Amino acid sequence: LHRVDRRQRQMCIRDRLETGAEGDEWFKERVINGAVRDGAVYMPKMADFISQEGLWAIRSYLESVHVDE
């Protein structure tokens, strides 16, 4: 189990969570298709595991805990 402390999690959310349609599109692409850089998997594809409703529930949760600094 990979543990991330609250400060690290907030930094990640703050750095990546864009608002509006652009942020929604980035989030959807990242979750559905995953992220691979230089052959290293940073986030696996979740298209087969998360429903459309689940995807937007996660997005809504992240927006609710997002802190502007």
Side-chain angles (χ1 to χ4, degrees):
L1 179 64
H2 179 72
R3 296 197 179 259
V4 178
D5 70 32
R6 183 178 174 86
R7 188 173 142 260
Q8 289 173 317
R9 188 171 49 246
Q10 287 296 332
M11 287 172 48
C12 180
I13 293 169
R14 183 189 69 224
D15 290 346
R16 295 291 183 191
L17 190 65
E18 298 289 331
T19 58
E22 287 181 18
D24 288 348
E25 190 61 31
W26 179 90
F27 179 79
K28 184 177 97 175
E29 284 294 316
R30 181 58 57 102
V31 174
I32 290 172
N33 297 316
V36 178
R37 285 183 242 147
D38 298 323
V41 176
Y42 284 81
M43 180 174 172
K45 292 167 67 169
M46 294 292 169
D48 296 335
F49 305 102
I50 299 177
S51 68
Q52 184 83 5
E53 294 82 13
L55 176 84
W56 297 117
I58 293 167
R59 172 75 172 162
S60 295
Y61 169 75
L62 291 173
E63 286 178 340
S64 76
V65 298
H66 179 71
V67 176
D68 288 324
E69 291 184 18

